[in-house]
Amino acid sequence: MKYVDEFRDPAAARTLIERIAAQAELLDTPLRLMEICGGHTHTIYRYGLENLLPDSIDLVHGPGCPVCVIPMGRVDDALWLAHQPDVILTTFGDMMRVPGTSGSLLQARAQGCDVRFVYSPLDCLKIATDNPDKHVIFFAVGFETTTPSTAVTVKAAKERGIRNFSVFSNHVTIEPPLRAIADNGHTLVDGFIGPGHVATVVGTTAFDFLADEHNLPVAVCGFEPLDILQGVAVLLEQFTSGAIAAGKAQVFNQYARVVRKTGNPQAQALLTEVFTIRDSFEWRGLGWLPNSGMALSEEYADFDAERIFSLPGKHVEDPKACECGSVLTGRIKPWQCKVFGTACTPDTPIGTCMVSPEGACAAYYNFGRIDRELTVEIVG
């Protein structure tokens, strides 16, 4: 048996679906569950899970796609860096097509800028070593999942004495956007499918505030179909058992085969050493959130591109036609955006949600999910 087969087993899926359906009949009101991570969104729509759930359970999308939440002004800053003389700008592949006000990094490369995508930030150190007359910048994005790899790279650059390397950090933390959603009430959410990848670093305790302060249950889940179905089932049972009515919401670790309660202490220590928390950081769809972004600490300030270069740092509004902000906060489904699938497609993206492999709009488009009228079956 392949390791993933047990998490895609049709018989087990049917059992879980029956369990969910039986519990759903006990609900007094419909539930809205937010999958935080874009990886979950793609699993849900790739396998048609949303159509296997009762109508009383609605899955909405959250701000857990690291590419999607980057505001246009920061993309413009990256484009500005790419146009500087003797600069090699590097980033992950899914950032190459994210549109700024004057195009994308892919278009900048076509115009003659030295822009390269890398599979790991450590690749940048070889590029810097091979090009001593150039300054190599890594355009870093991501939640606590990818931040440790950037930290390892910065530490390695310092230890090896590589001085022609820096990081344009757009790393963010998971708690502030969830607090914003739970606090301000513009998105009505009854529970969360927690991000398994982030939880490997921060642990399940990072989500306790949702249960303790807001009585919102969380199921930290893996990324296979049965992972998500089990997560939905345990969330649902917190409502039907009376736990939520009694104010006793809990955080459930469905992804126990990977995630620990306290996460990865070594990775957390590394982040504390190399990074510092910004006073505020701008998010697409959520605006400026306090204590939500990560910049390089004073000890590693020599590798901070924002200190080496005088970036424009301008706030840029999203195109009026783009509703990525509403998609990222679960206020609308992608197909409710007027330009979805017409002016905005993966080939001609207007917003980040259509660009990223984890974006909700890309998931809907690639897997043909226009509305809940579609019916699917799990095929053995």
Side-chain angles (χ1 to χ4, degrees), residues 103-318:
S104 66
L105 289 172
L106 194 62
Q107 290 169 323
R109 185 168 72 172
Q111 296 165 1
C113 297
D114 196 343
V115 179
R116 310 180 189 185
F117 74 85
V118 292
Y119 293 102
S120 164
L122 285 168
D123 295 341
C124 303
L125 300 188
K126 184 177 188 309
I127 295 173
T129 302
D130 292 343
N131 297 271
D133 57 335
K134 303 285 187 179
H135 188 89
V136 179
I137 303 172
F138 177 56
F139 180 17
V141 301
F143 288 88
E144 291 94 339
T145 311
T146 57
T147 312
S149 64
T150 302
V152 166
T153 303
V154 173
K155 283 199 69 171
K158 185 173 184 178
E159 292 168 358
R160 299 179 196 176
I162 300 175
R163 311 306 303 176
N164 61 324
F165 167 74
S166 64
V167 171
F168 176 39
S169 176
N170 291 271
H171 285 302
V172 290
T173 57
I174 194 64
E175 181 178 329
L178 299 184
R179 280 194 177 275
I181 288 172
D183 288 344
N184 64 24
H186 64 63
T187 302
L188 298 177
V189 178
D190 299 300
F192 292 89
I193 298 173
H197 290 156
V198 171
T200 62
V201 176
V202 302
T204 59
T205 55
F207 306 98
D208 284 349
F209 74 95
L210 290 168
D212 297 342
E213 299 175 23
H214 300 279
N215 198 33
L216 291 170
V218 181
V220 174
C221 292
F223 295 86
E224 294 299 326
L226 297 194
D227 290 328
I228 295 173
L229 288 175
Q230 185 182 21
V232 170
V234 297
L235 288 173
L236 182 57
E237 286 164 6
Q238 290 198 48
F239 287 89
T240 58
S241 68
I244 301 302
K248 297 181 179 180
Q250 295 182 346
V251 177
F252 177 76
N253 184 10
Q254 187 279 332
Y255 206 22
R257 63 186 185 274
V258 175
V259 173
R260 301 294 176 264
K261 183 176 182 179
T262 56
N264 185 325
Q266 291 81 11
Q268 294 167 17
L270 182 63
L271 297 189
T272 300
E273 175 188 348
V274 177
F275 288 95
T276 185
I277 300 297
R278 302 175 189 262
D279 291 336
S280 64
F281 191 78
E282 185 182 7
W283 292 62
R284 192 177 293 241
L286 290 167
W288 291 87
L289 297 181
N291 306 316
S292 63
M294 304 182 77
L296 294 186
S297 65
E298 287 295 330
E299 184 177 353
Y300 295 93
D302 291 344
F303 299 94
D304 189 343
E306 293 182 75
R307 303 191 190 207
I308 298 171
F309 297 88
S310 298
L311 298 178
K314 295 180 180 179
H315 168 73
V316 180
E317 296 286 347
D318 288 342

Side-chain angles (χ1 to χ4, degrees), residues 10-62:
R14 280 189 284 270
T15 299
L16 277 171
I17 292 165
E18 291 171 0
R19 173 181 163 188
I20 291 169
Q23 290 292 318
E25 291 183 358
L26 303 178
L27 290 174
D28 295 327
T29 58
L31 294 183
R32 301 187 84 213
L33 306 178
M34 174 176 280
E35 78 271 5
I36 299 168
C37 182
H40 287 143
T41 303
H42 273 251
T43 297
I44 289 166
Y45 293 99
R46 177 182 178 184
Y47 293 97
L49 301 186
E50 85 286 11
N51 290 299
L52 299 173
L53 298 177
D55 290 340
S56 56
I57 299 175
D58 186 24
L59 300 180
V60 298
H61 322 301

